[in-house]
Amino acid sequence: MPDLQTYFRTEHMPTIWCAGCGHGIVLGAVLRAIDRLGLDKDRVAIVSGIGCASRAPGYLDFNTLHTTHGRALAFATGLKMARPELKVVAVVGDGDLAAIGGNHFIHAARRNIDIATVCFNNEIYGMTSGQYSPMTPTTKLATTAPYGNLERNFDLCELAKAAGATFVARGAAYYARTLSGLIEQAIKHKGFSLVEAVSQCPTYYGRRNKLGAGADMLEWQRTHAVTAEKATGLSREEMADRFIIGKLYEAEAPEYGEEYGKLIERLKGGR
Ligand code: SF4
């Protein structure tokens, strides 16, 4: 069992996360992945934006950046370009990544820059008290959708793949070991990687949609997550409120930082 204490700034504990929140489980999956990879803490940078998930770097004893709303990937891109030797991991919420940060997200994916992004997807804006996000499913209730969300939610993984990400996976807090394995692969992968981590927010999303406590929401994840293989045998109706977990896509493509380095060398050589 890894001693995760060594990765925390314990003087900043306890976390602000509510009882039953899934974010601690997802963060544990990130830390176990880093631990298994044997990465030096000083060679890892954790970058976040704003939101419940984005509080994570404040508790962690790595190089950390807690930035502005939606801009985690913009800061992470600058950091990776300036310090290419660092392993850069972005921890972001769904609202942060897919709404205000949406443009940074698709362009980081398009460049295939070597950043591992873990999206803590609780399907809502938690920190600002439960507004609907681009990941809130249609018909679900939110502070700003008291009669049900009219919008269609993104499939974040499909969006990442279409934009050019070269590693895409989805996991869930309930399946924490699988999730951690996917995050490990994402960190190891050369290029832009996304792991969507389905998490639970009992305080706002769960309470408003009468989904019960954190444990009930974890049970929902247990019964609604399916592998891609199992999904092929299910009808569209049967898949309606289920979600696929596992590695969804992997490809090789030139990585932006390396290409930039080659360009610099070429220019130095006068070519
Ligand atoms: Fe977690 Fe929701 Fe509480 Fe935020 S508001 S810490 S997402 S349970």
Side-chain angles (χ1 to χ4, degrees), residues 5-258:
Q5 289 284 332
T6 60
Y7 297 113
F8 285 104
R9 294 179 180 135
T10 46
E11 67 276 21
H12 292 174
M13 307 296 262
T15 72
I16 60 153
W17 294 328
C18 311
C21 179
H23 287 2
I25 301 173
V26 178
L27 182 60
V30 173
L31 295 178
R32 287 181 175 88
I34 290 172
D35 189 76
R36 279 195 304 279
L37 289 167
L39 300 176
D40 179 344
K41 286 197 289 188
D42 292 334
R43 309 277 287 184
V44 175
I46 312 273
V47 185
S48 73
I50 295 289
C52 293
S54 289
R55 294 299 288 260
Y59 307 122
L60 298 178
D61 189 20
F62 295 91
N63 302 290
T64 56
L65 276 177
H66 184 195
T67 72
T68 51
H69 200 201
R71 312 302 177 208
L73 289 177
F75 281 86
T77 296
L79 180 59
K80 186 67 190 177
M81 293 305 290
R83 298 284 305 274
E85 75 280 11
L86 294 179
K87 276 281 175 198
V88 179
V89 180
V91 294
V92 288
D94 49 299
D96 198 26
L97 182 70
I100 190 168
N103 232 7
H104 294 300
F105 175 42
I106 59 173
H107 293 292
R110 179 176 63 84
R111 295 184 189 110
N112 194 35
I113 188 162
D114 189 23
I115 297 169
T117 301
V118 181
C119 178
F120 293 46
N121 176 19
N122 57 13
E123 304 177 310
I124 205 147
Y125 285 93
M127 182 169 276
T128 47
S129 72
Q131 296 82 2
Y132 70 89
S133 86
M135 302 301 290
T136 306
T138 314
T139 75
K140 290 296 183 191
L141 302 176
T143 314
T144 44
Y147 307 108
N149 179 23
L150 292 176
E151 298 181 11
R152 290 180 297 167
N153 51 316
F154 271 140
D155 182 326
L156 205 56
C157 292
E158 287 296 327
L159 180 62
K161 183 179 158 191
T166 47
F167 182 93
V168 179
R170 186 185 293 113
Y174 180 84
Y175 295 101
R177 270 194 204 172
T178 307
L179 174 63
S180 189
L182 294 168
I183 294 169
E184 181 181 346
Q185 290 179 60
I187 295 172
K188 255 170 49 185
H189 178 82
K190 187 90 184 160
F192 187 83
S193 56
L194 170 77
V195 178
E196 178 190 336
V198 175
S199 185
Q200 74 274 7
C201 170
T203 300
Y204 289 111
Y205 188 75
R207 184 156 51 98
R208 195 164 274 272
N209 288 288
K210 300 191 171 23
L211 300 175
D216 301 306
M217 295 180 79
L218 280 169
E219 175 63 11
W220 183 90
Q221 291 173 25
R222 186 184 74 78
T223 53
H224 288 73
V226 292
T227 59
E229 194 182 17
K230 192 169 174 203
T232 56
L234 298 176
S235 67
R236 182 186 283 256
E237 292 71 32
E238 287 170 320
M239 277 304 292
D241 65 345
R242 290 189 162 88
F243 60 96
I244 298 175
I245 56 169
K247 183 169 82 176
L248 305 175
Y249 180 71
E250 187 167 18
E252 282 185 25
E255 191 274 321
Y256 185 79
E258 278 189 359

